[in-house]
Amino acid sequence: MNTILKTSLSTLLLAGLAVGCTQKGNKSVVDGDAASQVYVEPGQYDDYYMFTSGGFSGQVGVYGLPSCRLLKVLPVFSQNPENGYGYSEETKPMLMTSHGFIPWGDAHHPALSKTDGDADGRWLFINENNTPRIARIDLTTFTTTEIIEIPNSAGNHPSPYPTENTEYLVAGTRFSVPITGNKDVPISTYKENFQGAISLIKVDQESGEMNLATQILVPPFDFDKNRAGKGVSRDWTFFTCYNTEESFTMKEVHASQNDKDYILAVNWKKAEEYLAAGKATEMNSVYYHNIMDEHTQTAKSEVLNTQKILNPKDCPGLVYFIPCPKSPHGVDVSPTGEYIVASGKLAALIPVFSYEKMAKAIEEKQFDGDIDGIPVLKYEAVLAGEVEKPGLGPLHTEFDDQGYAYTSMFLSSEIVKWKLGTWEVVDRMPVYYSIGHLMVPGGDSKNPYGKYVIALNKITKDRYLPTGPELTQSAQLIDITGQKMKMLMDFPTIGEPHYAQAISAELLMEKSLKIFKLEDNHHPYATKTEAETKVVREGKEVHVYMTMIRSHSAPDNIEGIKVGDIVYFHVTNLEQDWDVPHGFAIKGANNSELLIMPGETRTLKWEPKDVGVYPFYCTDFCSALHQEMQGYARVSPANSNVELSWSLDGK
């Protein structure tokens, strides 16, 4: 049986690649006017911002649509030497975890904050898969301002999708692990000792601050993706789960035995009620909560030790299972909230479930047994319809503003367009190759923008100039304004573009911050004028209060530093003009540069090891005399009597 299954999987994979590869050498895949649809004149703006996950880069890519121009890379879970994120003393705390300082992350699913089911432009959230974390990015500064670690979780993959008004972010465990009781147990006792957990992270509506409200214990399945409900289903959130066989080895075979796995339906409103009623128990697990203080421009880490846990056995009506074929990956909710679309990677059809039928089945107790006290709803009682013969390897679905759904098909490398309500396939578009996620701007909201679907692909062989064994990954822009989809262009992406979100440019442009006001800078080491610059010794620590403005730094000559000192350069950019950053670097620093925005203060730690004179300079080309923006730091022996001094222009 196992051999048959493995053979079938291999055949499907080869078939999928074959479909993709046959595109090479065929006629052009774009029409003659495609270029005009993506061309944005110099000096003109795109219609949308698109945010893509940077995958194993740990970052977020910001692109303009329809031009697909890369506008910025936002550092989130990984250090970024381009601007010093994770290297500067102010930003290092953002990468603290219960496992220590972690300079890398695996970013997967960006999610825009929502109001009444539509993107509101306040924040962008994104999950980290490896060391379970969720980050919040402020969309006025396009900077990461908060990261919270998720305890009792392993593989934070089904995350961090917001509820209809961003009351909560919802997250789950890809890997089940021992959570309660002894954690040092034989792996072979998986069924007895392993558990999964669903997390509800409360979001403050004013500040955006995240806090872990509660977790829900669930059986030891693998939880893959989730989506919150909207409209009629606004009180619910839905997870796909596979490995209902509860296997812990060779999952490609042993976790694909059952004809049906499940959708886990979670009533988060009920969770709130049970939490208020005191039904939760407390657990003790350490996790970090890191927040950037906008007044001091410095991040702080808080270590937390307790969390609340709800057990479905004590909370009737909290969660239900819906049977779903087969190894479901994506689960997506239609704009009205009525339809829940599940994509079984190994299924030959796409089941669509009805929220109305689900509510009725719960009310009438149309159950087909239970799992660990969680009722299993009858498949037929909840099913709205099935999309037949959609293709091979359905993964994810998004929606347009005309009543159509678009599903990515990994194995057959295509996007399939089908009609909500009739479930008929109406169009197909080959993509290159092995698509994972897809994204319609606003396609996960109550009011999709429509217009485009973006394919986020895994394989790009023969698409671009070769770059050795390692090739880029890519996205493709497709016009969906007509009955037939039309390919417009493709473009390389940073990291692996797992998922993306897009929002109208008008919602973000006007409130985009241009400078940090100097008068609002309450950094404890900020220097607001050149007259305030100084160098202070505190034992073995030397603090340099430095300013930068076109085209010099103050001070630019420093003497009296000794081998064995730890030197902190606290650099304030005095500029109050948009797009005039300054950079700072010193020879031999085992660190990165600093990139300091106007009105901002950043700190570089430097530990000189040898006697000498070390040059420092501005690394960002800031003016015609940028090259002259430089200075020296003299380092003397540890027992030297050279007095600490500093100067600018010899004064």
Side-chain angles (χ1 to χ4, degrees):
M1 179 63 186
N2 292 346
T3 302
I4 293 172
L5 182 56
K6 281 195 284 189
T7 303
S8 300
L9 288 170
S10 301
T11 303
L12 284 171
L13 179 59
L14 290 171
L17 289 174
V19 169
C21 293
T22 55
Q23 306 304 322
K24 182 182 178 183
N26 286 353
K27 66 176 184 179
S28 173
V29 296
V30 298
D31 291 338
D33 65 342
S36 65
Q37 291 182 252
V38 302
Y39 180 67
V40 178
E41 293 180 32
Q44 299 300 308
Y45 296 125
D46 281 286
D47 296 331
Y48 302 98
Y49 287 94
M50 180 173 75
F51 301 93
T52 67
S53 82
F56 39 74
S57 79
Q59 319 294 40
V60 167
V62 185
Y63 298 80
L65 292 181
S67 73
C68 303
R69 297 177 294 196
L70 176 63
L71 306 177
K72 189 176 175 63
V73 175
L74 307 181
V76 184
F77 297 113
S78 298
Q79 289 179 300
N80 185 27
E82 183 180 0
N83 66 2
Y85 177 84
Y87 291 98
S88 70
E89 297 305 298
E90 290 80 4
T91 56
K92 282 180 180 175
M94 296 300 290
L95 302 181
M96 286 302 299
T97 76
S98 61
H99 305 275
F101 179 81
I102 295 185
W104 170 85
D106 183 15
H108 273 244
H109 309 126
L112 289 160
S113 59
K114 289 184 169 56
T115 298
D116 194 23
D118 291 324
D120 56 28
R122 292 181 292 170
W123 309 297
L124 179 77
F125 304 95
I126 189 164
N127 63 319
E128 205 274 275
N129 193 39
N130 183 52
T131 303
R133 290 175 283 176
I134 295 174
R136 176 171 60 90
I137 296 165
D138 185 330
L139 291 180
T140 63
T141 60
F142 283 63
T143 57
T144 303
T145 54
E146 184 180 7
I147 296 179
I148 189 170
E149 192 176 2
I150 309 298
N152 307 315
S153 178
N156 179 39
H157 192 257
S159 171
Y161 297 99
T163 54
E164 187 174 74
N165 288 294
T166 321
E167 298 95 337
Y168 292 92
L169 303 176
V170 188
T173 51
R174 171 184 171 186
F175 300 95
S176 288
V177 291
I179 294 177
T180 59
N182 185 10
K183 297 182 180 179
D184 180 17
V185 298
I187 297 172
S188 58
T189 64
Y190 184 98
K191 293 185 178 181
E192 294 78 27
N193 291 315
F194 285 49
Q195 294 160 307
I198 304 300
S199 301
L200 297 179
I201 296 95
K202 186 74 174 174
V203 180
D204 184 275
Q205 294 303 296
E206 293 299 322
S207 67
E209 184 173 328
M210 302 179 287
N211 284 288
L212 179 61
T214 191
Q215 296 185 302
I216 302 169
L217 284 178
V218 287
F221 302 158
D222 289 20
F223 294 84
D224 206 356
K225 288 299 303 301
N226 88 293
R227 284 286 191 188
K230 58 176 82 77
V232 293
S233 57
R234 65 174 65 87
D235 295 346
W236 294 77
T237 186
F238 304 93
F239 286 83
T240 51
C241 50
Y242 62 100
N243 189 30
T244 53
E245 299 84 353
E246 302 182 10
S247 169
F248 54 89
T249 183
M250 277 296 288
K251 286 191 175 181
E252 67 171 333
V253 175
H254 302 302
S256 305
Q257 301 293 313
N258 293 338
D259 286 337
K260 287 188 173 62
D261 295 287
Y262 298 103
I263 303 295
L264 179 72
V266 180
N267 188 329
W268 62 264
K269 276 285 190 181
K270 281 280 185 188
E272 275 190 335
E273 293 172 11
Y274 284 123
L275 200 58
K279 289 288 187 181
T281 57
E282 285 200 348
M283 274 193 60
N284 296 316
S285 297
V286 176
Y287 63 105
Y288 271 63
H289 188 191
N290 311 318
I291 300 181
M292 176 64 70
D293 184 324
E294 64 178 16
H295 299 290
T296 64
Q297 302 181 351
T298 303
K300 292 182 178 178
S301 295
E302 181 182 12
V303 183
L304 301 169
N305 297 292
T306 61
Q307 55 280 169
K308 297 182 182 300
I309 301 275
L310 291 171
N311 192 327
K313 293 177 181 176
D314 305 323
C315 306
L318 178 60
V319 291
Y320 297 89
F321 280 119
I322 301 171
C324 180
K326 181 173 183 181
S327 298
H329 183 65
V331 58
D332 300 282
V333 180
S334 66
T336 64
E338 168 59 20
Y339 297 121
I340 301 118
V341 182
S343 299
K345 299 188 293 287
L346 304 179
L349 51 79
I350 301 172
V352 183
F353 301 104
S354 160
Y355 172 75
E356 183 180 352
K357 287 188 172 184
M358 184 189 85
K360 184 180 179 184
I362 292 172
E363 182 180 351
E364 296 177 351
K365 300 187 184 304
Q366 296 188 59
F367 300 150
D368 196 5
D370 71 87
I371 300 172
D372 294 347
I374 300 173
V376 179
L377 299 170
K378 291 185 177 178
Y379 179 76
E380 294 77 11
V382 185
L383 188 69
E386 294 173 336
V387 181
E388 297 183 347
K389 300 180 180 177
L392 298 175
L395 289 185
H396 302 281
T397 299
E398 295 245 323
F399 307 90
D400 68 10
D401 56 342
Q402 302 296 318
Y404 292 99
Y406 301 79
T407 300
S408 58
M409 312 300 292
F410 175 77
L411 289 172
S412 51
S413 287
E414 60 182 334
I415 291 175
V416 174
K417 176 181 178 180
W418 52 276
K419 182 74 173 173
L420 281 167
T422 67
W423 327 122
E424 60 182 326
V425 174
V426 297
D427 194 22
R428 298 176 183 275
M429 166 62 72
V431 293
Y432 313 100
Y433 308 101
S434 298
I435 181 174
H437 278 272
L438 76 175
M439 185 274 290
V440 174
D444 65 329
S445 71
K446 289 172 76 173
N447 295 286
Y449 299 118
K451 204 166 184 176
Y452 306 110
V453 61
I454 290 89
L456 300 161
N457 304 321
K458 306 295 185 187
I459 297 174
T460 56
K461 62 176 69 173
D462 77 26
R463 300 301 298 171
Y464 305 109
L465 292 173
T467 53
E470 182 181 358
L471 301 178
T472 184
Q473 299 188 41
S474 79
Q476 292 181 299
L477 183 70
I478 298 164
D479 180 359
I480 58 171
T481 55
Q483 279 299 108
K484 304 290 286 184
M485 291 180 278
K486 187 167 69 172
M487 181 69 72
L488 297 177
M489 72 175 298
D490 61 13
F491 55 100
T493 61
I494 61 163
E496 184 178 358
H498 288 280
Y499 185 46
Q501 291 264 266
I503 187 170
S504 170
E506 293 178 352
L507 283 174
L508 298 189
M509 284 183 62
E510 288 188 1
K511 59 183 181 183
S512 185
L513 195 71
K514 292 182 169 60
I515 63 168
F516 296 101
K517 293 181 180 178
L518 270 175
E519 60 264 34
D520 294 336
N521 181 345
H522 299 289
H523 191 295
Y525 292 96
T527 309
K528 304 291 185 68
T529 68
E530 283 189 7
E532 299 173 41
T533 57
K534 57 186 177 183
V535 182
V536 176
R537 174 176 289 282
E538 297 175 0
K540 287 288 188 182
E541 291 187 0
V542 175
H543 293 268
V544 180
Y545 293 71
M546 178 179 284
T547 62
M548 299 185 91
I549 193 167
R550 287 166 288 184
S551 295
H552 62 267
S553 57
D556 66 358
N557 279 206
I558 304 169
E559 300 190 22
I561 296 171
K562 302 175 184 178
V563 172
D565 284 344
I566 301 173
V567 183
Y568 293 93
F569 289 94
H570 309 287
V571 185
T572 301
N573 181 345
L574 296 181
E575 309 282 357
Q576 290 289 268
D577 189 11
W578 192 22
D579 199 20
V580 191
H582 290 298
F584 178 83
I586 186 165
K587 180 183 177 184
N590 52 0
N591 211 322
S592 79
E593 69 148 354
L594 299 175
L595 189 65
I596 311 135
M597 296 299 113
E600 191 176 44
T601 300
R602 284 286 179 263
T603 300
L604 183 140
K605 181 181 177 182
W606 180 51
E607 299 180 73
K609 305 297 184 189
D610 298 305
V611 171
V613 176
Y614 294 77
F616 56 81
Y617 67 104
C618 174
T619 54
D620 189 271
F621 200 103
C622 56
S623 70
L625 296 177
H626 158 75
Q627 205 69 355
E628 285 74 12
M629 198 166 176
Q630 60 186 29
Y632 293 105
R634 174 186 172 190
V635 177
S636 301
N639 58 356
S640 167
N641 293 322
V642 176
E643 293 290 326
L644 191 65
S645 62
W646 62 96
S647 64
L648 173 66
D649 200 20
K651 302 174 184 175

